[in-house]
Amino acid sequence: MKTLKEKSDLELIQAYVAGDESGIEVLLNRYKSKIYTSIYLQVKDEYLAEDIFQETFIKVIRTLKSGRYNEEGKFLPWVVRIAQNMVIDHFRKEKRSPTVVSSEGYDIFGVLEFADDNAESKLMTDQRDVDLRKIIQKLPDDQKEVLIMRHFCDMSFKEIAEITDVSINTALGRMRYALNNLRKMIEEHNMMLNMG
């Protein structure tokens, strides 16, 4: 007899639909960090990311309970797609751009987030993360999407291609462009830091 943690996504979904509440709990724990990270990288706000994450899982639960789930063996890509739609809906409602940028080109929220911390090492790490997030945000949307799905959600190029509705070669091409652009921007950013 398999333990819950050893069961596949589909087995857990079937257990949940059959009335075993712990099935969804195991799935949630299995993918929480990947899904949350994919949301956070787009909204860049912990509380908002947490809200959207919870809304995403409410929608997942409703869909599963209603028996409308039919994405055989593709649970993570399906949930990430729901999360992406929730993020898009949020920004549509807000009618504003996802970042607030100062005249110097800084994401104000990103700067405020790490300014509260006292520990110098945490500040350095946060600064690096904020810088990287800022650089990632500058990528064209199609490249940013592939990069986030691949590196922060550990999705295969096949899964990315299915979610974004492009060929695997297109997804690979976008990833290559994203990495090249990222490398260039990091080099420029480091040059600016060294000069400043």
Side-chain angles (χ1 to χ4, degrees):
M1 188 80 183
K2 282 183 182 175
T3 67
L4 273 175
K5 283 195 169 124
E6 293 168 335
K7 289 188 175 184
S8 72
D9 293 353
L10 194 56
E11 288 171 318
L12 289 167
I13 290 164
Q14 288 164 344
Y16 176 67
V17 172
D20 182 354
E21 295 286 324
S22 55
I24 196 75
E25 205 176 308
V26 174
L27 278 169
L28 178 66
N29 290 333
R30 189 176 282 175
Y31 296 119
K32 181 180 190 327
S33 67
K34 290 178 182 180
I35 296 161
Y36 175 82
T37 303
S38 78
I39 296 167
Y40 180 75
L41 282 165
Q42 293 173 77
V43 300
K44 299 198 286 301
D45 176 300
E46 284 174 49
Y47 301 109
L48 180 57
E50 194 62 47
D51 285 350
I52 292 174
F53 176 80
Q54 285 170 2
E55 283 172 36
T56 299
F57 260 86
I58 289 167
K59 191 163 188 172
V60 165
I61 288 167
R62 282 192 188 132
T63 306
L64 294 177
K65 286 224 186 229
S66 69
R68 288 179 316 198
Y69 176 77
N70 59 2
E71 310 273 330
E72 309 273 305
K74 297 178 187 135
F75 181 75
L76 179 61
W78 175 66
V79 177
V80 169
R81 193 167 42 221
I82 291 172
Q84 295 269 339
N85 290 338
M86 294 282 197
V87 169
I88 291 164
D89 288 349
H90 168 76
F91 287 124
R92 264 197 209 120
K93 276 185 220 147
E94 291 286 303
K95 286 261 193 292
R96 64 176 179 81
S97 92
T99 54
V100 177
V101 179
S102 71
S103 56
E104 292 85 39
Y106 286 109
D107 171 359
I108 292 166
F109 292 125
V111 173
L112 290 177
E113 269 171 38
F114 70 80
D116 296 336
D117 295 311
N118 301 337
E120 197 171 322
S121 63
K122 182 159 176 26
L123 228 156
M124 295 299 281
T125 306
D126 285 357
Q127 176 63 57
R128 198 172 54 241
D129 290 349
V130 166
D131 289 346
L132 185 59
R133 276 208 310 274
K134 267 192 246 158
I135 291 171
I136 290 171
Q137 291 302 322
K138 289 179 184 170
L139 289 171
D141 286 344
D142 55 352
Q143 294 174 24
K144 181 168 49 181
E145 186 176 50
V146 173
L147 185 80
I148 288 170
M149 288 181 183
R150 180 77 183 129
H151 279 290
F152 299 99
C153 300
D154 280 337
M155 296 170 92
S156 70
F157 282 106
K158 187 173 183 290
E159 290 169 327
I160 294 168
E162 285 170 9
I163 285 179
T164 56
D165 208 19
V166 296
S167 71
I168 291 178
N169 282 343
T170 301
L172 286 165
R174 287 177 180 174
M175 185 65 178
R176 199 167 39 248
Y177 285 123
L179 291 174
N180 285 342
N181 286 336
L182 211 53
R183 202 171 294 123
K184 276 186 214 148
M185 287 192 281
I186 288 170
E187 282 168 13
E188 286 167 15
H189 183 78
N190 286 341
M191 280 194 300
M192 280 167 53
L193 283 180
N194 292 339
M195 285 161 59

